[in-house]
Amino acid sequence: MGRLLPVCEATEQPLGAPDRRRLGSPVPPTTAPTRPRRRIFADLTPLRTSADYRRLWVGGTISWVGQAMTALAISLQVYDITGSSFSVGLVGLFSLVPLVVFGLYGGAIADTVDRRKLGLYSSLGAAALSVALAGAALLDYHRVWFLYGVVALQAVCGALTGPARSAMIPRLLPAEQLPAANALNSVTMTFGTMVGPALGGLIVALGGYQWAYLIDAVTFTAALYAMWRLPSMKPDRGEEARGRASVVDGLRFLGTRPNIRMTFFTDMAAMVLAQPKALFPAAAALWYGGDAKTVGLMVAAIAAGALLGGLFSGWQGRIQRHGLAILLSVAGWGLAIAVFGLTRNLWLGLFFLALAGAADTVSMVFRSTMLQAATPDEMRGRLQGVFIVVVAGGPRLGDFIAGSTADLTSPTVAVTGGGLACVLVLGLLALRWRNFARYDARSPQA
């Protein structure tokens, strides 16, 4: 479809119009009526229309692969030093605690300072940590406590970068492009999760830990360049909101916004009640007569489904009832997990795990879009911080519940019962907050 006004190639703004992105002000939604295109594959419109978002997405995709490489390399190095699976498990704990604690405060900081600078400095800190890991490996300095400390500091950097980056996106794109942008972000995360560990294992095997860490540090240059090229991203805060943003104020705001609360409740229903990953080793052995390779296939099936959910996301931009879409996709996750718990054929089980992964991506896209569109700019950082805490903490709690239930009953009861419990709780939530299913993206109400 042709443009009504000529476009300046450098800024991708209509000639004669103010460059809103350079001023760091929100981009208003398009008001001209247009006929939605029938898309199957992911909508690339955000990449075409916003150079800032395009750089941010490319830089994030490259650096996410590097971070996934480093995460695997650290786990391998800890096991190489200690020979203990328990010590490797502690890597996750040292990452989770700072991520949860600083996720809330990182969001508050993102609502106080220039988000561009916060993202730039925290990304620079993460790059410096990768350089430190490489230097220690080159000097044959192999200490578990050093690796644990770096992991904790990496989590702090991630907790600061995440809310700032997420709060930037509604300032770079019009509201109708947010579902497409969040679908593209899901592709970034899933691609990095799938490709990064494979590359990390290959590089460690061929060149040692130092090369994995050095490559990760180099990949950060893409993210740093993207952040550096962004305009100023100071939060839009009124006179009454002067001073440092409060975490308590953010939680108090969340308490008055039922639709936004429901995005968190629905995700917790899925991740806490129907999280099967902790039971994959038992399922592989008892149901399929498999081994570690079978576990790998099960993990990969969810990731592959999530990736396909992002790649075939073109239809999502035509959906306006985001609340209903979240309810249906989370119910799809729960039902797919429940059926997976009843399968005894490996390929059929992998199919339902892939369906669950695709449903999770759909849910994530609409939850993120609702959170960005229905939250005022001065609160976006804090609510993104809550989002990080839920996303990081929910699956860990789900692993504990699934493992405990399986020990008390059986893996089948834990997996299938968890999936059905997710659907049941989701139905109760939908009955309690009926307006959530009627949420309309054309008139977002928190």
Side-chain angles (χ1 to χ4, degrees):
M1 185 173 63
R3 295 178 182 268
L4 298 179
L5 292 174
V7 172
C8 173
E9 292 293 333
T11 63
E12 297 184 326
Q13 296 280 337
L15 290 177
D19 190 343
R20 293 184 178 90
R21 292 182 292 108
R22 288 296 160 199
L23 296 175
S25 59
V27 181
T30 303
T31 57
T34 58
R35 178 178 296 177
R37 293 176 56 189
R38 295 286 176 179
R39 291 187 176 92
I40 297 177
F41 295 104
D43 184 0
L44 303 182
T45 301
L47 298 176
R48 291 195 298 264
T49 60
S50 172
D52 286 325
Y53 175 76
R54 182 167 60 249
R55 284 189 291 265
L56 199 64
W57 184 82
V58 172
T61 301
I62 295 172
S63 64
W64 194 269
V65 172
Q67 290 172 74
M69 288 172 47
T70 289
L72 179 79
I74 288 176
S75 295
L76 292 174
Q77 191 173 7
V78 168
Y79 188 78
D80 191 26
I81 295 171
T82 65
S84 167
S85 296
F86 175 77
S87 298
V88 177
L90 286 179
V91 173
L93 181 63
F94 275 93
S95 174
L96 175 62
V97 173
L99 192 62
V100 170
V101 173
F102 285 90
L104 293 174
Y105 286 97
I109 295 172
D111 284 340
T112 304
V113 303
D114 186 338
R115 290 161 179 163
R116 169 189 172 271
K117 291 182 179 179
L118 178 61
L120 182 63
Y121 295 152
S122 54
S123 296
L124 187 61
L129 289 170
S130 293
V131 173
L133 285 170
L138 285 168
L139 296 173
D140 290 327
Y141 185 77
H142 303 296
R143 300 290 185 275
V144 173
W145 67 264
F146 172 75
L147 297 175
Y148 287 157
V150 170
V151 165
L153 291 175
Q154 285 177 329
V156 172
C157 291
L160 294 175
T161 304
R165 187 182 185 279
S166 297
M168 291 175 187
I169 294 175
R171 301 278 291 269
L172 300 175
L173 299 169
E176 64 268 20
Q177 292 183 20
L178 291 180
N182 287 314
L184 290 170
N185 292 341
S186 76
V187 172
T188 289
M189 292 184 289
T190 309
F191 178 78
T193 302
M194 293 178 66
V195 174
L199 284 177
L202 179 64
I203 291 170
V204 168
L206 294 177
Y209 301 113
Q210 64 272 16
W211 281 106
Y213 300 142
L214 281 173
I215 292 174
D216 181 25
V218 172
T219 63
F220 267 109
T221 58
L224 291 171
Y225 175 74
M227 290 285 184
W228 178 69
R229 288 291 304 273
L230 287 173
S232 175
M233 287 282 175
K234 294 181 179 179
D236 291 335
R237 308 183 69 201
E239 291 295 330
E240 71 281 0
R242 296 289 182 183
R244 182 163 296 278
S246 167
V247 173
V248 175
D249 288 343
L251 296 175
R252 189 178 294 123
F253 172 84
L254 181 61
T256 64
R257 299 299 189 271
N259 283 334
I260 296 180
R261 281 204 313 275
M262 272 289 285
T263 65
F264 296 126
F265 291 160
T266 54
D267 186 53
M268 291 175 67
M271 294 297 102
V272 174
L273 299 175
Q275 177 58 259
K277 289 185 179 179
L279 303 180
F280 281 177
L286 297 176
W287 299 351
Y288 308 124
D291 52 16
K293 294 179 181 177
T294 308
V295 176
L297 286 174
M298 295 159 77
V299 174
I302 292 183
L307 181 60
L308 290 174
L311 293 176
F312 292 92
S313 60
W315 58 273
Q316 294 172 10
R318 301 191 295 271
I319 304 299
Q320 304 298 335
R321 299 281 293 279
H322 289 184
L324 182 60
I326 292 171
L327 292 173
L328 292 176
S329 56
V330 174
W333 164 274
L335 290 174
I337 294 300
V339 176
F340 161 71
L342 299 174
T343 60
R344 295 300 179 265
N345 177 276
L346 176 59
W347 296 109
L348 188 61
L350 295 177
F351 171 75
F352 282 105
L353 287 176
L355 281 183
D360 185 47
T361 292
V362 175
S363 168
M364 186 278 293
V365 167
F366 287 115
R367 284 186 290 109
S368 298
T369 300
M370 186 180 292
L371 186 61
Q372 292 166 338
T375 305
D377 186 69
E378 68 271 14
M379 286 288 177
R380 282 185 182 133
R382 277 166 283 187
L383 293 195
Q384 289 292 341
V386 176
F387 182 83
I388 287 177
V389 171
V390 171
V391 170
R396 272 72 174 187
L397 180 57
D399 287 340
F400 173 76
I401 291 175
S404 301
T405 304
D407 282 345
L408 293 173
T409 56
S410 69
T412 299
V413 171
V415 174
T416 299
L420 295 177
C422 167
V423 176
L424 175 61
V425 170
L426 190 70
L428 295 175
L429 290 171
L431 288 174
R432 173 61 180 84
W433 286 283
R434 297 174 185 268
N435 286 335
F436 184 72
R438 294 191 285 268
Y439 175 94
D440 193 323
R442 290 164 295 193
S443 179
Q445 298 292 325

